[in-house]
Amino acid sequence: MSNFDSDALVFLGATGDLAYKQIFPALQGLIRDEGFNLPIIGVAKSGWTLDQLKARAKDSLEKHGGLDQQAFEKLVGLLRYVDGDYNDPETFVQVGRELGQAQRPLYYLAIPPSLFAPVAENLAKLCCPGNARVVVEKPFGRDLKSAQKLGRTLHQYFPEENIFRIDHYLGKEPVQNILYMRFANPNFEPIFNRDHVRSIQITMAEDFGVQDRGKFYDEVGALLDVVQNHMLQVVANLTIDPPTGEDHDAVRDRKAELMRAVRPLTPDSVVRGQYQGYRSVAGVAPGSNVETFVAVRLEIDSWRWAGVPIYIRAGKMLSVTCTEATVEFKRPPRETFGELAPGSSAHMRFRLSPDLVIALGVRVKIPGERMVGHDVELELHRQAAHDLPPYQRLLGDASRGNTELFSRQDLAEAQWRVVEPILGNVTPLYSYQPGTWGPEESAQLMGRDGHWIDPVVQSLNQ
Ligand code: BG6
């Protein structure tokens, strides 16, 4: 099923962390599973040779997902390397030489965001006159203004349908399953609205720190690293109106509409935290006020969702590694059985990582004479981590020109509008101990709406 209509892949940042952890494994997967057969031109400024890049690819595959000898040999056969500075036009002239007759290359910008605009410009002007596509890593801009500016720069050289703003959460099987469950069944959609839903909460917990990404992370923090993008995309999947039509824009239209209705955050709807020890991570400024934990309360000003609070918390160095969304339904309008402590309300739970779980929480009667019950959870579906790694899915889609699972300029801007008022570390920063659920202050954010649901991680065998 090799239906890639790009005719070369240029990936900038070839010696970097993302290439090492994600892109080489994705390329091996595309070659092995999908007959990917395009010239692959790595570009970086590291003073490396092609052989060093091949050795790096081998090491990457051995550490991330496993090396498949046959596919690896094909990969190194396709691989070329251009070593050069991104500010030097000669680098792009060389890339152009490597591209030869290619008319539709795919440029993958796995480079620091500050370089997106100049590099896109150099690629478009100096490399290939054809109909190129460009994949841009997150964050797309630093705020609304810079995202708009970046959009304008990219649009000068690439039409919107050739721009792929990547958010790897969209390539995740469990994230897609939220949409699928909602719209492939008749029973959930009628209750996903303010009449039935009391609140929604999403926890993205990681039990590790910022590792060797101190410099990158200290420029973004949890809000821009995962909330402005991954978490808002999950919110969108949980709350959009049913899409109509089947083209690439059907879902993106609904998402853009939804995101425009999300009320911009205010300082009192945010709690930020920083784990103890963060400031001594290499690359982090000694007095850094950047958050490694953030909790927010969102509201959607739409007919469907008005008044339903949506809570998101995301953090590093928490108790477990797990991402989970829970939709809590309202209590019945009347306590028919007069129970004094009628338990929790019904809920629907979507576990997005480390495995996929979809579960329904309901109340059932305890056997006996009295009409008294307890809470049980029905697990509708459980499946091990996604088969297709998100980067493989997304790189394959981009090479085929399928924009469906990528963000769009209007959507990216709407996401920035949500976080814009709280950018720049304007709210207090609370310290928390590694291995906890973040600063205690995050509990207060919920007020009378309830409490955070801490995901419990069990292995699939339990
Ligand atoms: C990335 C963030 O986008 O997503 C990381 O930069 C985070 O900080 C990662 O750890 C989480 O994604 P996944 O797929 O590993 O759950």
Side-chain angles (χ1 to χ4, degrees):
M1 51 158 177
S2 170
N3 51 356
F4 304 102
D5 62 357
S6 290
D7 51 10
L9 169 68
V10 179
F11 76 111
L12 298 100
T15 58
D17 190 61
L18 189 74
Y20 184 71
K21 290 185 180 148
Q22 304 285 1
I23 300 176
F24 285 121
L27 289 172
Q28 177 181 265
L30 283 168
I31 291 169
R32 184 193 53 218
D33 307 335
E34 303 178 43
F36 189 88
N37 196 24
L38 317 182
I40 302 170
I41 302 152
V43 187
K45 186 198 168 201
S46 295
W48 284 20
T49 61
L50 176 58
D51 282 341
Q52 278 172 294
L53 188 67
K54 288 178 180 172
R56 171 84 163 175
K58 184 159 188 264
D59 194 46
S60 143
L61 296 170
E62 281 165 353
K63 304 250 165 47
H64 298 281
L67 185 129
D68 175 312
Q69 195 56 38
Q70 226 183 342
F72 172 68
E73 276 165 24
K74 284 195 190 141
L75 170 62
V76 293
L78 295 169
L79 204 57
R80 322 247 189 293
Y81 180 59
V82 172
D83 194 86
D85 194 302
Y86 296 123
N87 293 313
D88 181 359
E90 180 51 29
T91 307
F92 299 91
V93 173
Q94 268 196 56
V95 172
R97 247 179 252 136
E98 291 290 346
L99 280 171
Q101 298 304 310
Q103 284 301 302
R104 175 147 245 185
L106 177 69
Y107 302 132
Y108 190 126
L109 310 191
I111 51 178
S114 55
L115 293 172
F116 291 164
V119 164
E121 188 172 341
N122 280 333
L123 284 166
K125 284 188 174 158
L126 300 169
C127 285
C128 164
N131 194 5
R133 296 177 173 134
V134 62
V135 180
V136 193
E137 263 297 332
K138 73 165 180 85
F140 190 81
R142 289 290 149 147
D143 51 21
L144 178 59
K145 218 166 135 209
S146 58
Q148 286 168 329
K149 187 157 172 252
L150 179 57
R152 281 196 299 273
T153 307
L154 291 178
H155 284 147
Q156 264 182 281
Y157 306 106
F158 303 90
E160 179 64 31
E161 71 266 21
N162 286 352
I163 303 173
F164 296 76
R165 296 169 192 79
I166 210 164
D167 179 326
H168 82 280
Y169 250 61
L170 295 180
K172 283 178 182 268
E173 192 63 38
V175 174
Q176 291 164 31
N177 217 331
I178 298 175
L179 271 190
Y180 190 85
M181 283 291 288
R182 285 188 60 207
F183 300 128
N185 297 291
N187 42 341
F188 301 121
E189 192 39 28
I191 55 171
F192 268 56
N193 57 46
R194 68 189 308 276
D195 295 334
H196 299 279
V197 175
R198 195 166 77 105
S199 70
I200 296 178
Q201 59 167 285
I202 308 168
T203 291
M204 177 182 182
E206 294 178 314
D207 66 1
F208 48 88
V210 297
Q211 297 166 323
D212 50 0
R213 299 164 71 224
K215 186 163 182 311
F216 162 80
Y217 197 90
D218 210 41
E219 286 174 21
V220 289
L223 185 70
L224 300 194
D225 187 38
V226 298
V227 174
Q228 187 268 350
N229 32 70
H230 306 334
M231 294 297 99
L232 288 184
Q233 289 286 354
V234 173
V235 169
N237 279 10
L238 287 163
T239 55
I240 57 168
D241 282 347
T244 49
E246 273 140 37
D247 63 16
H248 293 183
D249 279 320
V251 171
R252 302 200 302 176
D253 285 345
R254 290 290 178 257
K255 283 189 172 175
E257 215 168 72
L258 182 280
M259 209 49 68
R260 279 195 293 272
V262 176
R263 199 181 295 171
L265 289 164
T266 51
D268 61 353
S269 54
V270 179
V271 172
R272 296 190 310 127
Q274 187 186 78
Y275 66 79
Q276 287 157 21
Y278 170 73
R279 289 179 185 173
S280 42
V281 173
V284 170
S288 170
N289 275 330
V290 164
E291 76 283 348
T292 58
F293 172 100
V294 66
V296 302
R297 179 185 201 273
L298 283 181
E299 288 195 49
I300 301 176
D301 286 324
S302 70
W303 188 280
R304 181 189 274 260
W305 291 110
V308 178
I310 299 177
Y311 294 94
I312 302 172
R313 65 177 169 168
K316 302 270 183 204
M317 282 292 199
L318 300 187
S319 295
V320 295
T321 296
C322 184
T323 301
E324 202 162 87
T326 305
V327 177
E328 284 196 285
F329 295 105
K330 290 183 173 169
R331 297 278 322 147
R334 175 173 175 262
E335 297 298 343
T336 306
F337 304 106
E339 288 178 276
L340 292 178
S344 55
S345 50
H347 68 258
M348 186 160 183
R349 179 167 70 90
F350 298 89
R351 173 169 289 183
L352 308 180
S353 86
D355 45 6
L356 180 161
V357 177
I358 298 173
L360 272 182
V362 293
R363 231 168 135 67
V364 296
K365 184 177 169 303
I366 297 171
E369 288 172 14
R370 294 189 313 140
M371 293 297 264
V372 173
H374 64 152
D375 298 325
V376 297
E377 205 185 53
L378 304 172
E379 213 169 85
L380 301 180
H381 187 55
R382 175 179 275 249
Q383 141 191 329
H386 19 285
D387 301 320
L388 190 60
Y391 272 91
Q392 181 175 335
R393 167 75 200 261
L394 295 174
L395 214 46
D397 278 5
S399 311
R400 296 183 188 97
N402 184 347
T403 51
E404 194 174 345
L405 294 179
F406 293 84
S407 190
R408 215 169 54 179
Q409 185 67 28
D410 56 344
L411 181 51
E413 289 184 16
Q415 285 170 274
W416 279 114
R417 268 191 201 96
V418 175
V419 299
E420 187 84 353
I422 55 156
L423 293 180
N425 305 335
V426 292
T427 56
L429 183 72
Y430 302 101
S431 167
Y432 64 95
Q433 264 189 9
T436 63
W437 285 102
E440 283 161 14
E441 285 76 5
S442 72
Q444 289 154 21
L445 192 66
M446 288 251 174
R448 294 188 347 187
D449 286 336
H451 59 87
W452 291 105
I453 302 164
D454 299 337
V456 179
V457 180
Q458 290 171 322
S459 94
L460 277 178
N461 314 327
Q462 282 176 296

